[in-house]
Amino acid sequence: MNQKVMGRFAPSPTGTLHIGGARTALFAWLYSKSLGGKCLLRLEDTDKERSKQKYTNSIIESFNWLGIDFDEEPVYQSKNKNRHLEKATQLVEDGQAYFCDCSTERLQKLREEQQKKGFKPKYDEKCRELNLKQATNTVVRFKNPGRGKVSFNDIVRGEIEVSNEELDDLILVRSDGTPTYNLCVVVDDIDMNITHVIRGDDHVNNTFRQVNIFEALGEEIPIYGHVPMILGGDGKRMSKRHGAASISEYKEMGVLPQALLNYLSRLGWSLGDQEIFQFEELIEKFKDGRMNNAPASFSLEKLLWFNKEYLSKMDEKELIGRLSSFCGYFQKDDYSSKVLDLIKDRCNLLSDFEQETKYFFEDLEAIDSKDANKTFTPEAMDVLKILLREFSALEDWTSESINHTIETVMESANLGMGQVGKPLRLAVTGRMNSPPVDKTCAVLGRDKVIERMEEALNKLL
Ligand code: GLU
């Protein structure tokens, strides 16, 4: 094959883009790109009932967000109907397909009889040699080769074959004049000059049929790669139970597109033990790695690990920009930057930042009474009073000086960190959990810390 590599991803717009589809698309895209080729997007929208423009829009939006940039304009399969029918006519004229007028009742009966005898249902080729003319009740059937086998060398699974006897004379055009899936795919793949088809392994059985149609049309067969499906951590088919399903939901959860792409790339592909791949590196190295032929399993925990890695390395300006739709607190100022530094590694998702940083930007919410009763004991209130006095007298307000004060109070009152740090933390953050309390106080600033300590003391005394 001297032609330039041309890959494609061909979703049916009958739903939003899910993890499995996005992973397959990424592999198709990366494979083409790593071989210096192009990758096209084809929307297989021939099912008029189930295909919706809103799904097409959402699929395209998800790819834009992920940064998977398909070449050329998307192709809408429904617009190619005349070409599909033209090729069906060509096949009939060449004696590779024929008109069939078998009624649905006859076919139903045939199927039942075959099943009763324990055979796999298959069209009995009644009309194959009858040379029927086209009529309102005829379908076009493909003359599948009667013997031999169909085989192809799959990039993921190696050599696969099936005996032609297993395959039906499948319908290419229905009696209402609509072309069927296998014909549409082959004709579009030919017209789009597709050289590489990477798709889910649920299509392997279609591939055998499609290879025969390519051959009947005298066209070169693309190179195929069927990637196994993605399973949930429990080994069952991936579903909602295993984490959000569609790409747009991950976006809403606050997953970074870079992290999701990196994770998707590792769902069924590997290059040594490396986990973190920048996008450019993936494009360069995808061909050097290995697409696995065993199902990959999805883990939300692992995805969050990737997200945290990317969050921790993200440039502050970019992070503040990304956070803008999740949390309105951050500005491009020194205070925001200090808060970010302090809480960044406590957040797995962009949506965690608001909750984690609220007390830096807003007045404290009412302290949980259970936490208050447990923490603000009479001894703790005495400690807070001493701390308040020491803090007010501190010359400089840094995490070191604050830490030194806390330690001095601990020593002189012979108390542990819990007895001093916990009431202080609850008073200044309103929570039992926060980053180290000395650092938190330093970022909050002396005025706010003192004000909140006084408030806690006034309420309780
Ligand atoms: N439209 C098919 C699907 O969404 C894919 C067809 C193909 O890749 O050939 O499963």
Side-chain angles (χ1 to χ4, degrees):
M1 204 174 289
N2 300 322
Q3 228 177 319
K4 195 171 160 80
V5 167
M6 186 74 88
R8 49 69 152 188
F9 178 61
S12 305
T14 54
T16 51
L17 184 67
H18 283 220
I19 282 288
R23 189 281 313 257
T24 305
L26 178 65
F27 283 15
W29 191 91
L30 286 171
Y31 197 77
S32 310
K33 295 288 157 177
S34 73
L35 294 173
K38 287 186 176 180
C39 192
L40 310 182
L41 177 65
R42 179 171 75 227
L43 292 142
E44 304 210 317
D45 57 347
T46 52
D47 182 339
K48 290 227 161 54
E49 291 276 295
R50 296 174 59 225
S51 303
K52 301 265 184 298
Q53 187 60 39
K54 67 171 183 190
Y55 294 134
T56 296
N57 296 345
S58 152
I59 292 169
I60 292 177
E61 241 174 71
S62 293
F63 283 127
N64 287 344
W65 176 73
L66 280 170
I68 299 180
D69 189 10
F70 288 99
D71 294 283
E72 301 173 14
E73 286 303 305
V75 171
Y76 290 84
Q77 187 161 64
S78 60
K79 293 195 179 150
N80 301 338
K81 187 173 169 192
N82 289 343
R83 277 294 289 164
H84 304 146
L85 295 178
E86 226 175 81
K87 288 289 173 186
T89 307
Q90 181 188 325
L91 286 169
V92 175
E93 283 169 2
D94 291 352
Q96 307 272 14
Y98 59 94
F99 291 109
C100 160
D101 65 0
C102 289
S103 66
T104 32
E105 292 75 29
R106 176 178 186 273
L107 295 173
Q108 174 70 17
K109 214 165 138 218
L110 176 68
R111 199 173 307 127
E112 282 166 10
E113 277 165 15
Q114 288 169 332
Q115 276 168 339
K116 225 184 275 163
K117 288 184 195 146
F119 297 140
K120 204 169 129 199
K122 188 179 166 191
Y123 178 58
D124 62 357
E125 302 175 7
K126 173 174 174 280
C127 300
R128 187 169 163 125
E129 303 303 339
L130 296 184
N131 262 327
L132 295 177
K133 291 266 166 301
Q134 182 172 17
T136 50
N137 63 339
T138 52
V139 299
V140 178
R141 279 191 188 272
F142 180 60
K143 247 186 212 177
N144 197 72
R147 313 172 190 186
K149 54 185 185 159
V150 204
S151 63
F152 60 93
N153 194 359
D154 190 287
I155 341 179
V156 183
R157 300 160 60 118
E159 190 74 23
I160 338 187
E161 60 172 51
V162 75
S163 154
N164 268 317
E165 279 162 33
E166 299 274 321
L167 305 177
D168 241 350
D169 277 1
L170 66 104
I171 295 176
L172 298 176
V173 183
R174 300 182 190 90
S175 57
D176 66 0
T178 55
T180 58
Y181 164 74
N182 281 301
L183 174 66
C184 297
V185 167
V186 170
V187 175
D188 289 349
D189 283 342
I190 294 168
D191 286 351
M192 290 163 73
N193 298 314
I194 300 303
T195 59
H196 290 71
V197 175
I198 308 268
R199 60 183 170 194
D201 67 359
D202 48 333
H203 285 289
V204 169
N205 286 333
N206 287 322
T207 304
F208 294 124
R209 296 179 166 90
Q210 290 174 17
V211 165
N212 281 340
I213 302 176
F214 269 103
E215 269 174 352
L217 287 168
E219 299 284 349
E220 193 165 346
I221 297 157
I223 292 169
Y224 289 98
H226 291 90
V227 288
M229 61 176 147
I230 299 175
L231 303 176
D234 54 5
K236 303 228 167 78
R237 218 192 153 93
M238 175 85 179
S239 75
K240 277 257 175 207
R241 271 183 311 116
H242 304 104
S246 70
I247 299 303
S248 55
E249 284 173 77
Y250 290 102
K251 178 182 172 197
E252 281 156 27
M253 273 165 65
V255 170
L256 295 167
Q258 304 91 312
L260 185 52
L261 269 185
N262 194 151
Y263 181 51
L264 288 175
S265 76
R266 299 283 295 107
L267 280 175
W269 175 84
S270 57
L271 183 63
D273 293 332
Q274 191 174 338
E275 291 276 25
I276 300 288
F277 289 90
Q278 298 306 318
F279 201 30
E280 289 306 316
E281 193 184 2
L282 271 178
I283 296 172
E284 201 189 303
K285 297 196 175 152
F286 195 76
K287 63 177 182 312
D288 305 329
R290 197 169 60 91
M291 282 190 264
N292 222 320
N293 65 3
S297 68
F298 177 84
S299 149
L300 189 57
E301 216 178 296
K302 191 74 193 267
L303 171 58
L304 295 184
W305 178 83
F306 275 101
N307 209 48
K308 205 166 172 169
E309 283 291 305
Y310 277 84
L311 276 175
S312 70
K313 295 201 183 82
M314 186 170 271
D315 159 80
E316 188 178 292
K317 220 164 122 203
E318 187 183 347
L319 182 56
I320 292 181
R322 295 229 174 237
L323 277 170
S324 64
S325 53
F326 288 89
C327 165
Y329 296 142
F330 295 101
Q331 310 288 326
K332 287 177 183 121
D333 60 18
D334 198 38
Y335 185 64
S336 291
S337 155
K338 283 185 183 147
V339 174
L340 267 185
D341 266 355
L342 194 58
I343 51 92
K344 212 156 78 170
D345 66 356
R346 300 173 62 83
C347 299
N348 290 320
L349 294 163
L350 292 171
S351 53
D352 292 339
F353 283 73
E354 175 158 336
Q355 187 50 24
E356 284 292 336
T357 57
K358 225 176 177 150
Y359 59 88
F360 284 102
F361 297 94
E362 285 186 359
D363 290 343
L364 291 193
E365 289 160 357
I367 294 176
D368 182 82
S369 59
K370 255 201 237 139
D371 292 341
N373 291 339
K374 206 167 55 187
T375 313
F376 292 146
T377 58
E379 300 76 50
M381 300 317 280
D382 289 340
V383 169
L384 278 186
K385 273 190 254 170
I386 302 171
L387 277 175
L388 182 60
R389 204 179 54 224
E390 297 294 324
F391 282 170
S392 308
L394 265 182
E395 253 172 49
D396 58 342
W397 187 255
T398 62
S399 61
E400 292 77 23
S401 64
I402 297 166
N403 184 273
H404 181 71
T405 311
I406 294 173
E407 282 186 351
T408 315
V409 172
M410 276 164 54
E411 259 167 49
S412 60
N414 199 18
L415 295 169
M417 184 59 194
Q419 289 154 298
V420 179
K422 272 190 193 164
L424 176 60
R425 169 175 286 124
L426 190 61
V428 301
T429 68
R431 321 176 165 196
M432 302 296 285
N433 256 309
S434 79
V437 73
D438 49 350
K439 293 198 169 90
T440 306
C441 288
V443 172
L444 275 167
R446 181 172 0 212
D447 291 350
K448 214 174 265 175
V449 167
I450 289 190
E451 185 191 310
R452 289 181 179 177
M453 289 172 79
E454 281 172 347
E455 233 170 82
L457 285 165
N458 287 340
K459 266 196 204 130
L460 293 154
L461 289 178

